[in-house]
Amino acid sequence: MLRNSSAPSTGIPLQPHSPSADQPAPLSPTFFEFLTVRAGEHWFAVDVQATVEIRGPETFNTVGGEGLPMLTVREEELKVVDLRRLSGLRAFQSACPAMLLVQANTEVLALAVDEVGEIESAPRERVRAHHTLGYVFCSQSIAMADSGEIPLIDPLLLIAA
């Protein structure tokens, strides 16, 4: 399974921020850490705890009887979930500029995106139990400091996407 393993030259594993090289930083109960990803002009958040690996440009194949896009990573076939298509934009054809591997229960999904942004944090009280932006693969949102709102992707909802 692809969980925080060392990455080949095409991938960057996510590592927790560390106060020193040999000790990971403790998780903060007052702040929520998330990674931002972009599809077209739309920005989304993904819980850092659900992220496995950031990858650069990727080419994926359509395989199987269902014609699903798949990505092979370290000899493991992963379902590709196209964030552009889910956002109502034109889907990627067979390649994307960036890929985020996301843990969804026991499955790892390859989330095809235009860009992977920064790791950010917000006070936990800004994580809203609902969202008003209408994305069915997002169960929550984060109120941003600039009065905006960013939808929070629920990896479990991506499985059926």
Side-chain angles (χ1 to χ4, degrees), residues 36-45 83-90 92 97 112-115 133 135 137 149-151:
T36 57
V37 293
R38 182 178 59 82
E41 299 300 317
H42 307 283
W43 284 94
F44 297 89
L83 191 56
R84 288 182 60 86
R85 181 186 59 79
L86 292 177
S87 302
L89 303 171
R90 193 184 63 174
F92 293 111
V113 299
D114 285 305
E115 178 182 355
L133 301 172
Y135 296 109
F137 54 92
E149 183 177 359
I150 187 168

Side-chain angles (χ1 to χ4, degrees), residues 1-155:
M1 180 175 290
L2 299 170
R3 187 70 178 146
N4 291 331
S5 60
S6 61
S9 62
T10 59
I12 302 169
L14 291 175
Q15 300 293 326
H17 294 275
S18 301
S20 66
D22 60 343
Q23 301 214 345
L27 294 175
S28 171
T30 58
F31 284 91
F32 177 74
E33 286 192 317
F34 57 95
L35 185 65
T36 57
V37 293
R38 182 178 59 82
E41 299 300 317
H42 307 283
W43 284 94
F44 297 89
V46 178
D47 186 343
V48 167
Q49 296 299 312
T51 58
V52 176
E53 184 177 330
I54 299 169
R55 299 179 66 84
E58 289 287 351
T59 301
F60 41 89
N61 299 315
T62 302
V63 296
E66 299 171 15
L68 297 174
M70 302 293 282
L71 176 70
T72 304
V73 177
R74 292 184 283 286
E75 299 180 18
E76 188 172 342
E77 291 289 320
L78 305 178
K79 176 184 174 186
V80 173
V81 179
D82 187 332
L83 191 56
R84 288 182 60 86
R85 181 186 59 79
L86 292 177
S87 302
L89 303 171
R90 193 184 63 174
F92 293 111
Q93 295 303 307
S94 62
C96 64
M99 188 75 72
L100 180 65
L101 303 187
V102 181
Q103 187 76 42
N105 203 1
T106 60
E107 187 175 354
V108 175
L109 303 172
L111 186 61
V113 299
D114 285 305
E115 178 182 355
V116 175
E118 300 292 324
I119 294 177
E120 299 185 33
S121 65
R124 284 207 180 267
E125 62 267 13
R126 289 193 186 166
V127 178
R128 298 178 177 164
H130 65 285
H131 73 95
T132 59
L133 301 172
Y135 296 109
V136 297
F137 54 92
C138 298
S139 59
Q140 299 177 314
S141 66
I142 302 168
M144 301 302 286
D146 64 359
S147 300
E149 183 177 359
I150 187 168
L152 178 60
I153 293 173
D154 184 335

